[in-house]
Amino acid sequence: MDEAKVLVEKVKRLSELFLRSKHTVVFTGAGISTSCGIPDFRGPNGVWTKEQRGETNQEEVNDVNTFDTAQPSFTHYAIACLLHAGIIKHVVSQNVDGLHLRSGVPEKDLSELHGNIFKEYCEDCQKEYIRERDVGGMGKNYTGRRCEVQGCGGKLRDMAIDWDTDLPEAIFDRAHAEIDQADLLICLGTSLRIRPAGNMPLRVLRPKKLRSTTEVGELCIVNLQKTHLDKKATVRVNHYCDEVMRRLCVQLGVSLKLPADLSGGDIGNSYSIRENSAIYKRMKKTNIAVTNTIS
């Protein structure tokens, strides 16, 4: 992991890129949910890592199956608050755990590339439902429930993608469009090894007329393990996502309540922006409404 002095400099550089960016997109992976009690796959204590070491047993698998009860991490809430403040424009996620929605990220600002285990849809009218618990199943299989739309009653299917299921084309198209506009893309907690999603961040490095500031966008990566795009990153941070996001919020002048006190239901009251911060000045200059300020 980066030493303290190195981490300070990298987060400072990251905050400078945030301040310069007009269209920032965040790209997230399993690493932002490990502090919520949900294991990743390739981390030091990841599911696949433990399997390779012969350490996984069924009892342990049952213990970590906490999707229904898991609460968002500081990183989840920070993303939701920065999105609400207009500092982040869109979130692209490889996760299926539903924690972005629980933290307060609106569906319209979220592209879940691999689906969501808490969502199901009607095969007839296409209406989607968000449930409080895992709907069960994976790969667009029937969940055993029926559509509640009057006059429909179609069968419901899960919305989590497995290895053999076609990826949602419309969601990928939206994610592509957002990254093509981005002048800054930040990858948080992902090894970028699952394809085709893992190659998607490369789009920010292609010349695009859609960008308003630079011909080529900036790529930043925050992850404990190496990725195949590390050498292409403007900033590469080797540390825990929660710690990086805490430091970044301080640099930006954004103050969040403690995670235990945060609520995705009223995310607008979950953060404050310091009046003498560069973010506050930029938001005022671009006529973005600034509320919940602190001196």
Side-chain angles (χ1 to χ4, degrees), residues 30 42 50 55 59 63 72 100 104 121 132 144 146 161 173 183 191 198 207 231 235 241 244 252 258 282:
R42 294 184 175 84
K50 285 191 172 185
E55 298 177 3
E59 182 179 349
D63 288 341
H100 278 304
Y121 74 99
E132 292 296 322
R146 293 274 185 171
I161 307 301
D173 288 346
D183 43 42
S191 63
K231 293 182 179 180
V235 178
C241 293
V244 173
L252 294 175
L258 293 174
R282 196 191 78 173

Side-chain angles (χ1 to χ4, degrees), residues 206-278:
R206 300 173 185 171
K208 293 287 182 180
K209 294 181 180 179
L210 298 175
R211 298 193 182 98
S212 58
T213 54
T214 57
E215 183 181 2
V216 175
E218 306 273 8
L219 173 65
C220 297
I221 298 174
V222 180
N223 198 54
L224 290 175
Q225 283 77 48
K226 295 179 180 179
T227 83
H228 69 290
L229 299 183
D230 285 350
K231 293 182 179 180
K232 297 181 181 296
T234 302
V235 178
R236 174 57 167 99
V237 186
N238 301 279
H239 217 288
Y240 294 109
C241 293
D242 284 350
E243 180 63 20
V244 173
M245 293 305 291
R246 284 191 181 94
R247 291 171 178 262
L248 177 62
C249 286
V250 171
Q251 284 281 341
L252 294 175
V254 178
S255 176
L256 272 66
K257 296 178 181 178
L258 293 174
D261 300 325
L262 289 169
S263 171
D266 192 15
I267 200 68
N269 293 324
S270 297
Y271 67 94
S272 301
I273 298 178
R274 200 172 64 244
E275 290 183 352
N276 64 348
S277 67

